[in-house]
Amino acid sequence: MNLDSTFGTDAPVIGMIHLPALPGAPGAPDDGAVAMDAAVERAVDDARKLEAGGVDGLMIENFGDAPFHPDDVPKHTVAATTRAATAVASAVELPIGINVLRNDAEAAVSVAAAVGAAYVRVNVHTGARVTDQGIVEGRAHETVRLRERLGVDVGILADTDVKHSAPLTPAEYSAESFADTAERGLADAVIASGSGTGHAVDDGALEAVVEERERHGLDTPVFVGSGVRPDTVGDLLDVADGVIVGTALKEGGETTAPVDPKRVEELVARADEVR
């Protein structure tokens, strides 16, 4: 994945758009039209604030849909995500990405193809993880082939040791999973994250992922996928190739709150100091 051609920089800051509960989810208003309108309004408002604050790309995910389906969301969720993403794509000029939680990569690639998104995030692309949805297995063989069938140039950003999960394999295998994800799973970038949303990635774990990439002679970009803050973004970009930021850009540092323009400007300014 060529970061500069996708984002206009070789050290991108991707801002998160956490959609509120979509129609049909437990937390959504009973009136489906009200739920859909609220999701679109929030998505577009957050997208515009993120763009104005200087981020290089966006990632849209159905964060409000807990509890999440493991790997096959309902069709109405795909439709609602597509509608929100279409509105965002029309409102801003930034490249956008799609993440359909918990791990519906087929839906993510399909939505991306429909709205012209540049990339998707896949939480479990190869291997298997124990999650609150049970055991979630990667389907790289299906995801990559679907992208080819649809004929779209959609980058796959795949997690390694994804947050809110635990490995089924011995701990010492975790760094090695980078090679499986990038070489055998054909991921275009790999994401290292902390233990949960907003949790910082362990410095040693991030360095181990980068070292594993170097050991295998790969050039696959490494993103940090959680816990990025203004005071840490510079140090993280000294090690990783890019960051995905959500919680730190929200009002009061609350993940589900609206984007705070001042927080966006502060973090981007700190990132600009090292890139």
Side-chain angles (χ1 to χ4, degrees):
M1 184 176 192
N2 187 305
L3 299 182
D4 191 58
S5 64
T6 300
F7 299 101
T9 174
D10 57 4
V13 174
I14 298 176
M16 285 299 309
I17 295 176
H18 294 111
L19 297 176
L22 299 173
D30 291 338
D31 188 322
V34 171
M36 192 69 254
D37 288 346
V40 170
E41 181 178 357
R42 167 65 72 82
V44 169
D45 184 57
D46 282 352
R48 287 174 171 158
K49 290 175 181 176
L50 289 165
E51 182 177 49
V55 303
D56 307 295
L58 305 172
M59 182 75 76
I60 303 168
E61 74 175 22
N62 57 322
F63 187 82
D65 280 354
F68 301 113
H69 295 271
D71 53 18
D72 186 14
V73 303
K75 293 179 177 62
H76 58 76
T77 300
V78 180
T81 304
T82 303
R83 181 174 169 187
T86 299
V88 169
S90 298
V92 299
E93 299 297 326
L94 295 173
I96 64 174
I98 307 295
N99 185 20
V100 179
L101 299 170
R102 171 61 157 145
N103 200 59
D104 195 338
E106 179 182 6
V109 172
S110 299
V111 173
V115 304
Y119 44 91
V120 298
R121 182 174 184 173
V122 182
N123 294 157
V124 183
H125 185 56
T126 58
R129 306 282 296 185
V130 179
T131 74
D132 51 312
Q133 295 81 32
I135 296 176
V136 174
E137 298 183 27
R139 296 181 176 179
H141 60 295
E142 296 178 357
T143 305
V144 174
R145 285 174 171 81
L146 173 62
R147 179 176 62 177
E148 296 302 313
R149 289 201 306 275
L150 294 178
V152 291
D153 185 18
V154 173
I156 297 172
L157 281 58
D159 283 87
T160 179
D161 286 336
V162 67
K163 56 192 174 182
H164 300 293
S165 73
L168 288 174
T169 53
E172 59 268 21
Y173 177 76
S174 59
E176 287 284 350
S177 68
F178 181 98
D180 282 348
T181 301
E183 285 189 307
R184 293 164 66 85
L186 301 183
D188 300 290
V190 172
I191 303 170
S193 62
S195 60
T197 301
H199 293 194
V201 63
D202 179 78
D203 290 342
L206 175 59
E207 291 171 358
V209 170
V210 174
E211 289 170 1
E212 186 62 21
R213 175 183 66 181
E214 303 304 319
R215 192 169 74 83
H216 283 265
L218 301 172
D219 59 4
T220 309
V222 173
F223 282 82
V224 174
S226 71
V228 180
R229 306 187 308 271
D231 60 316
T232 63
V233 66
D235 289 338
L236 291 171
L237 286 175
D238 280 339
V239 181
D241 302 293
V243 295
I244 302 172
V245 196
T247 300
L249 305 182
K250 303 300 188 66
E251 294 177 1
E254 295 290 336
T255 306
T256 57
V259 167
D260 183 335
K262 292 183 178 179
R263 283 175 171 261
V264 180
E265 292 172 2
E266 180 187 7
L267 188 138
V268 170
R270 296 292 290 272
D272 285 343
E273 293 175 1
V274 299
R275 57 180 184 159

